Amino acid sequence: MFKELVFLSDYLNQSFYYDQYGIRDELSGLMGNCTERSIYFILKNKYKDINFNPYEVFLNDMTFSLKLFDASNIHTFRIHNNFSSVKKNIFQYDSIELFNKEEAKKTLEGLLDRGHIVLIRTIFELLPFSAWYGDLYGLDGYRKGGHGFLIVGYDNNNYYYVDDPASLNMSKFISHKNRKDIGVSPKSDFFNAFNTFLKCSTVRNINTSNLYLNRDLFKSIVEESINNYNNIQITSGTNQGKKIKILNGRRAIEQLIKICESESYYLNEKQRKTEGSNLFNNICPSLTFVCNRRILFSNYINSNKLYSFNNVSSLDKLLKESITSWATVKNVITKYYAKDRYILDKHIGKYFLKILDVENQIFEQLKEFCKM
């Protein structure tokens, strides 16, 4: 029997990047990473009876870390948003890890049969629709905690999934005929990855009290952001056998300026044996995530009367300046790449220098708020 009840009865009528009428959800683009975006989709579709402010739910630490990799003279780095340690978990999860395709198929489809939206993590580099697909990808250093996306349904031959367009190879992406944000791909395209690793996560319970911020918790998040921004420590370690250094906050931005001044980092430098794995495709989504944290923060303080402190308008003006500056540097880097200008040069460094100035002002004003 052709099995489509899980998909057609539910998820065609739900809202992901678009709703069933083709109207875009602008908030979906503001989430800080793939996990936050998946949580947002699950929250708004499975818990429609709960009234929540997404700016409040997803407000977080505004700082980021910069990871510098020593990889046999390949100059590379990663930018990652930091996450607040004082925020409490919204969801309680059930997760299972699987290592062969038959068990993976049985488990995943069983969860979908029970009405779950399933967050999966697998070897994204082995999925043909992935932006980082590489059929020669070496599995010796794969990450169990890598990119996550949603499986929302299946039939006899296909899985139906929702993922960030920036993570997809759009030339290989096939959308459902009635939903441009839901991908359709043969099950066989997943099995090579599933046969190595699949982690399925579903929501068991939601802590509704953790959806809301009071003034003290908001202040704690801000204080943590200030501490991370002013953190001068450089952490050293290893990642998959490679030496790394981690810098936070102001030190991270200062290091980006130094990287540009050195003119020794190339946007087209291959990171791994996959199609889209170069420095450009790694840093541009991260710059968007950093920008989005500031958009969420700005929208939150403007939507909540608890924070009518004296300098809120000045702070918001600075946040908007920062948002513009982060978006600008991403656009400049994108134009460089499109014109085959691959060196992160001193000109780009000037944009990061402007960002450093406005970020310093933001965190000085946040200090004043914490004194109130």
Side-chain angles (χ1 to χ4, degrees):
M1 180 180 176
F2 190 76
K3 192 162 189 176
E4 214 177 23
L5 75 162
V6 173
F7 178 67
L8 287 181
S9 65
D10 239 344
Y11 299 109
L12 276 181
N13 298 319
Q14 294 189 354
S15 173
F16 299 102
Y17 289 97
Y18 297 86
D19 66 14
Q20 67 265 42
Y21 306 109
I23 299 173
R24 179 167 176 78
D25 179 352
E26 299 298 335
L27 281 170
S28 65
L30 295 182
M31 299 300 107
N33 60 17
C34 57
T35 303
E36 280 193 352
R37 189 176 297 110
S38 297
I39 289 171
Y40 172 62
F41 288 149
I42 292 171
L43 184 59
K44 73 171 182 172
N45 284 303
K46 300 294 286 185
Y47 298 93
K48 294 180 180 179
D49 57 329
I50 297 175
N51 183 29
F52 69 95
N53 178 353
Y55 302 124
E56 186 171 9
V57 173
F58 295 101
L59 182 130
N60 218 304
D61 188 335
M62 280 211 302
T63 64
F64 66 90
S65 63
L66 179 71
K67 293 184 178 181
L68 296 171
F69 290 75
D70 177 11
S72 303
N73 296 321
I74 295 175
H75 289 82
T76 186
F77 61 87
R78 300 281 192 279
I79 296 171
H80 297 285
N81 276 330
N82 290 323
F83 285 84
S84 174
S85 64
V86 300
K87 287 198 75 173
K88 297 178 181 179
N89 291 330
I90 296 169
F91 291 132
Q92 293 176 337
Y93 295 97
D94 289 319
S95 296
I96 184 170
E97 295 185 358
L98 304 146
F99 301 92
N100 72 77
K101 64 182 180 183
E102 294 304 324
E103 282 298 313
K105 177 179 181 294
K106 179 180 177 182
T107 300
L108 174 59
E109 294 178 10
L111 293 170
L112 292 166
D113 285 341
R114 294 196 289 276
H116 288 290
I117 299 175
V118 185
L119 170 61
I120 74 163
R121 299 184 190 278
T122 187
I123 315 302
F124 200 56
E125 293 84 353
L126 295 179
L127 299 175
F129 54 80
S130 160
W132 297 283
Y133 173 71
D135 53 5
L136 298 178
Y137 177 67
L139 292 174
D140 54 323
Y142 80 88
R143 295 178 302 150
K144 287 185 179 182
H147 178 65
F149 62 102
L150 298 177
I151 301 291
V152 299
Y154 73 99
D155 58 34
N156 281 354
N157 302 309
N158 306 294
Y159 287 123
Y160 299 87
Y161 64 93
V162 175
D163 198 5
D164 180 4
S167 299
L168 299 171
N169 179 345
M170 297 309 291
S171 67
K172 300 290 179 66
F173 175 75
I174 300 173
S175 66
H176 186 273
K177 62 182 179 180
N178 296 321
R179 286 293 299 267
K180 57 186 174 183
D181 56 340
I182 297 177
V184 183
S185 192
K187 292 180 180 181
S188 57
D189 283 353
F190 290 83
F191 287 158
N192 192 21
F194 286 4
N195 209 36
T196 302
F197 174 73
L198 173 67
K199 181 177 182 178
C200 295
S201 297
T202 55
V203 175
R204 173 170 22 100
N205 189 32
I206 183 169
N207 301 311
T208 54
S209 61
N210 293 344
L211 290 170
Y212 312 107
L213 295 178
N214 58 39
R215 188 181 180 89
D216 288 341
L217 182 54
F218 175 73
K219 186 176 179 180
S220 295
I221 294 170
V222 171
E223 288 174 337
E224 187 174 36
S225 293
I226 294 169
N227 290 336
N228 284 335
Y229 188 74
N230 294 314
N231 182 2
I232 63 172
Q233 291 185 330
I234 299 176
T235 305
S236 298
T238 59
N239 182 278
Q240 297 180 11
K242 301 172 185 176
K243 294 180 181 178
I244 60 171
K245 291 183 178 180
I246 304 173
L247 302 91
N248 282 284
R250 180 190 291 116
R251 291 294 294 267
I253 302 173
E254 290 171 347
Q255 187 63 43
L256 286 171
I257 295 168
K258 291 178 182 178
I259 284 171
C260 294
E261 290 176 343
S262 75
E263 298 193 337
S264 59
Y265 285 70
Y266 291 80
L267 294 168
N268 63 334
E269 188 78 72
K270 277 283 186 183
Q271 310 291 292
R272 289 174 290 175
K273 297 177 182 178
T274 56
E275 287 183 10
S277 182
N278 59 28
L279 185 57
F280 172 77
N281 286 322
N282 280 321
I283 65 173
C284 275
S286 299
L287 295 174
T288 298
F289 292 151
V290 171
C291 186
N292 288 348
R293 281 283 174 89
R294 283 137 188 79
I295 295 173
L296 286 168
F297 198 95
S298 172
N299 286 335
Y300 177 65
I301 63 172
N302 281 303
S303 68
N304 199 308
K305 295 180 181 179
L306 286 174
Y307 312 115
S308 55
F309 50 98
N310 294 333
N311 63 347
V312 67
S313 60
S314 176
L315 174 61
D316 191 49
K317 183 179 178 181
L318 287 170
L319 286 167
K320 287 181 169 56
E321 185 178 347
S322 176
I323 291 162
T324 299
S325 298
W326 283 105
T328 299
V329 75
K330 180 192 171 184
N331 289 339
V332 170
I333 290 171
T334 301
K335 288 178 181 177
Y336 267 46
Y337 191 78
K339 295 179 180 179
D340 298 332
R341 292 177 63 183
Y342 297 127
I343 298 176
L344 285 172
D345 60 18
K346 294 182 177 68
H347 177 69
I348 294 174
K350 291 178 181 179
Y351 290 94
F352 284 117
L353 191 61
K354 181 179 180 181
I355 285 171
L356 179 62
D357 178 60
V358 70
E359 293 286 315
N360 283 340
Q361 294 181 65
I362 287 171
F363 282 92
E364 282 302 313
Q365 292 217 2
L366 288 175
K367 282 183 185 178
E368 293 304 312
F369 164 75
C370 289
K371 293 176 183 178
M372 297 178 63

